[in-house]
Amino acid sequence: MAADGNWNLTMSTPTGERAVTLTLQSSDGRLTGRTQGADGNVREIFDGATSGDDVAWKISIANPMPVTLEFTGTVSGDSMAGRIGIRSRGRVPLSSPDMSPAPAMPGRP
């Protein structure tokens, strides 16, 4: 699937923009066993799904407060854009400035 691989994304949050690295792998409509990282913290994604060019996944974070973030997006060629659901704060944009897959991270395809 077009979403498979490594991505550099920008998250626009209430506390400012954050650079995000994302590694996705799909199989039978699911995003499986991959990670998302920001500010030196890496978390496993869960409840990941794909349908056509649409993707969705969740991660749990502890800082600045414990919360589960819900991501939805659309892949178009080498571009990905979408939204992030942040408990009681609504949804914020997710995008990539250069909209191209990132180079592989060590130990990752």
Side-chain angles (χ1 to χ4, degrees):
M1 165 173 204
D4 288 358
N6 300 304
W7 296 86
N8 290 319
L9 302 170
T10 301
M11 238 176 21
S12 298
T13 73
T15 59
E17 289 193 347
R18 299 183 72 182
V20 175
T21 57
L22 175 66
T23 302
L24 297 177
Q25 181 176 352
S26 62
S27 176
D28 298 323
R30 294 178 43 200
L31 294 174
T32 58
R34 293 303 180 196
T35 60
Q36 178 175 318
D39 300 327
N41 298 308
V42 177
R43 299 282 186 253
E44 292 290 324
I45 67 169
F46 62 95
D47 292 347
T50 64
S51 178
D53 292 332
D54 295 329
V55 294
W57 69 93
K58 297 177 184 176
I59 63 165
S60 292
I61 62 170
N63 288 318
M65 64 185 158
V67 67
T68 296
L69 304 176
E70 299 178 10
F71 295 80
T72 57
T74 302
V75 175
S76 177
D78 288 342
S79 301
M80 182 187 300
R83 308 288 286 172
I84 306 162
I86 303 175
R87 189 175 38 177
S88 78
R89 297 205 191 283
R91 301 183 79 66
V92 298
L94 173 71
S95 64
S96 175
D98 62 12
M99 303 307 269
S100 59
M105 296 184 332
R108 299 281 184 184

